[in-house]
Amino acid sequence: MPPADDARTLVRLLWRSGPEADARPRRGPKQRVSVDEIVDTAVDLADRNGLDAVSMRALATALGIGPMSLYTYVPSRDVLVALMIDRVATDHPMPEPATTPAESLAAIARALRDELLAHPWLLDAPPWRHVLGPNWLARYERQLEALESADIPDLDRDRILSVLTSFVVGNAREAVSARTAPSRSGMSDAEWWEAVAPELDAVIPDGAYPLANRVGSAAGELYQAPGAPAEVFEFGLARLLDGLRPLLGE
């Protein structure tokens, strides 16, 4: 299927309109599933094993249908991932507007971070072209409502949300990495440091990197870990909102 046809089919599937959204394929074996079942099963696979685990073959096996018949419902894996992104947008709805735009943005940032930590595979999904489905657009609408009372140009509203989202994504990526480090390395943070510290003492000359030693020691003593993404998130969010308050009229 040409890329333009894929894109048009994606829109129809997102909005569940046209023959592509019918629970019955135009051809294929007797097994019948719905687009919703396909997407929900794909999300479950990704939540358990990561986005790489969601191949069309693995998904077809989980659904009990043939791989080729799956393509009569969803034309490509890229389309499937877009449907998955729109689907999970319903799991973490955006909060109601708060007293001030800055407070609303803080709540939005925390909700977005919660979603990314609950579905880490979102961090591996293509981020550039928006998924213009009903759930994603409802989210964007709610986010814009948080800024409606601010006397700022419309383009600045979109830019503020983009900056906020970029900050959240970066921190969530650090948080997911920290959460999975023990299983990936086979060592806890304490065990890792116990192995690494003597080696560093042996190779780093005395008095070298005094600032790194001072600051790193203070952070390590407080966090008992290489970092603390949750604490850094709240610190960075507060500083980001401080910078936006003059623009927001606060």
Side-chain angles (χ1 to χ4, degrees), residues 149-173:
S149 63
D151 184 19
I152 56 176
D154 281 350
L155 282 177
D156 283 352
R157 300 173 196 275
D158 185 73
R159 289 164 179 159
I160 287 171
L161 293 175
S162 294
V163 168
L164 186 73
T165 300
S166 295
F167 165 72
V168 173
V169 168
N171 180 267
R173 197 177 298 280

Side-chain angles (χ1 to χ4, degrees), residues 17-232:
S17 66
E20 293 84 356
D22 197 322
R24 296 168 299 175
R26 292 183 296 276
R27 60 187 184 278
K30 293 181 179 179
Q31 297 99 323
R32 295 291 182 261
V33 295
S34 69
V35 173
D36 286 339
E37 287 177 287
I38 291 170
V39 176
D40 287 344
T41 302
V43 169
D44 183 61
L45 280 175
D47 284 346
R48 288 188 284 111
N49 301 313
L51 192 59
D52 287 344
V54 185
S55 67
M56 299 297 273
R57 180 173 296 276
L59 180 57
T61 299
L63 289 163
I65 63 176
M68 294 310 297
S69 67
L70 183 57
Y71 286 99
T72 67
Y73 295 92
V74 181
S76 71
R77 186 176 182 274
D78 286 345
V79 168
L80 173 66
V81 172
L83 293 170
M84 292 164 63
I85 293 170
D86 193 66
R87 160 64 183 81
V88 299
T90 63
D91 293 342
H92 298 270
M94 294 295 98
E96 296 282 347
T99 305
T100 68
E103 291 173 353
S104 295
L105 290 174
I108 287 170
R110 295 185 182 106
L112 290 175
R113 186 175 188 270
D114 287 345
E115 178 187 68
L116 292 169
L117 297 185
H119 305 286
W121 55 268
L122 287 168
L123 295 167
D124 298 322
W128 181 239
R129 289 183 178 171
H130 294 312
V131 178
L132 299 178
N135 300 319
W136 190 92
L137 284 176
R139 158 177 292 182
Y140 185 52
E141 182 78 10
R142 177 55 61 85
Q143 291 172 342
L144 290 171
E145 288 174 2
L147 297 170
E148 188 62 9
S149 63
D151 184 19
I152 56 176
D154 281 350
L155 282 177
D156 283 352
R157 300 173 196 275
D158 185 73
R159 289 164 179 159
I160 287 171
L161 293 175
S162 294
V163 168
L164 186 73
T165 300
S166 295
F167 165 72
V168 173
V169 168
N171 180 267
R173 197 177 298 280
E174 289 290 324
V176 169
S177 179
R179 187 171 67 186
T180 58
S183 62
R184 285 186 286 105
S185 66
M187 295 183 290
S188 67
D189 288 336
E191 291 169 337
W192 180 85
W193 185 247
E194 185 178 356
V196 167
E199 299 298 323
L200 290 175
D201 287 340
V203 298
I204 296 178
D206 290 341
Y209 316 113
L211 296 178
N213 182 62
R214 188 186 80 209
V215 176
S217 296
E221 183 177 350
L222 176 62
Y223 301 139
Q224 294 298 302
E231 287 83 351
V232 171

